[in-house]
Amino acid sequence: MAFSETVLILAGGTVVLLIGFGIRVAMRAVTDAAAAVPRSDGREATGGPGAPDVAGVIALPPLIFLGFLAAAAVLETVIPLPALAAQAPARYLGGAVLAACGFGIIFMAAGRFRAAGTNIPPTLPTTALVVDGIYRRTRNPFYLGAALVYLGLGVAAGSFWAIGLVVPLLWVINTGVIAREERYLERKFGDAYRAYKARVRRWI
């Protein structure tokens, strides 16, 4: 069975990003085990006695983005749609620019988290409220960056399925991840987080 260029780009991008994510998780696990670094500051979120000091997101956000990217590849295989009308070089360039911007935003956000000494995965406790750097522009640079990378692959592939799935993807991120993180940060940091939330937008 021959696969279209669109499917190959989407599937290939999913595999490459999944491998990168797996390597990053493995490196973190090895580093944490070697250094025996505690992953919490010992405090509970102020949601009540015994409340877990985590946001309770529905899944790791990178896996959500990768799941939608894989779904787009499957849909392009089963119910292929016409590719974007733009010529391949233009699509590749536009997609590369979007993805590069996305990775840049993600790296800036990760740098601010490392400088503050707090955990990046939302499944671990947040030990510091980060409000500087890229966080002066957006409250969720990790998810904004990931959305740009996702869109970059969709544009490069010329996939209307990938681009159309952005709407349900962002709904899932908003309701299943961001809203839960916001409630958690309000419980933990109180007025400091509410003041930050009032002056900086959720996305851009």
Side-chain angles (χ1 to χ4, degrees):
M1 178 180 178
F3 293 102
S4 68
E5 177 194 23
T6 297
V7 172
L8 290 174
I9 292 175
L10 293 176
T14 303
V15 170
V16 170
L17 291 174
L18 184 58
I19 291 172
F21 176 66
I23 291 172
R24 182 67 187 93
V25 170
M27 290 174 59
R28 172 182 286 271
V30 170
T31 301
D32 290 349
V37 177
R39 304 310 299 171
S40 172
D41 61 355
R43 295 185 297 168
E44 293 179 344
T46 56
D53 188 13
V54 291
V57 298
I58 60 171
L60 284 171
L63 296 181
I64 296 174
F65 281 96
L66 287 170
F68 272 85
L69 199 58
V74 171
L75 286 168
E76 287 288 359
T77 302
V78 178
I79 314 171
L81 296 177
L84 287 173
Q87 294 296 318
R91 287 193 283 108
Y92 297 157
L93 178 60
V97 169
L98 285 171
C101 290
F103 280 121
I105 291 171
I106 290 170
F107 289 142
M108 284 190 286
R112 297 319 307 150
F113 266 47
R114 284 193 294 269
T118 189
N119 297 308
I120 293 177
T123 52
L124 295 174
T126 298
T127 58
L129 183 60
V130 181
V131 298
D132 59 348
I134 188 66
Y135 283 88
R136 292 194 183 98
R137 304 288 184 181
T138 170
R139 298 204 309 268
N140 295 284
F142 282 110
Y143 309 141
L144 175 60
L148 289 175
V149 173
Y150 172 94
L151 272 175
L153 279 170
V155 169
S159 171
F160 282 110
W161 274 119
I163 295 170
L165 286 176
V166 167
V167 175
L169 167 59
L170 294 184
W171 180 84
V172 170
I173 291 294
N174 269 318
T175 58
V177 177
I178 293 176
R180 296 179 183 215
E181 288 182 335
E182 289 177 346
R183 290 193 292 269
Y184 164 67
L185 293 172
E186 283 197 36
R187 292 196 307 270
K188 187 157 188 175
F189 296 103
D191 290 341
Y193 179 72
R194 282 188 283 271
Y196 170 65
K197 184 178 174 182
R199 68 176 183 270
V200 178
R201 294 178 183 273
R202 174 180 278 185
W203 288 95
I204 53 176

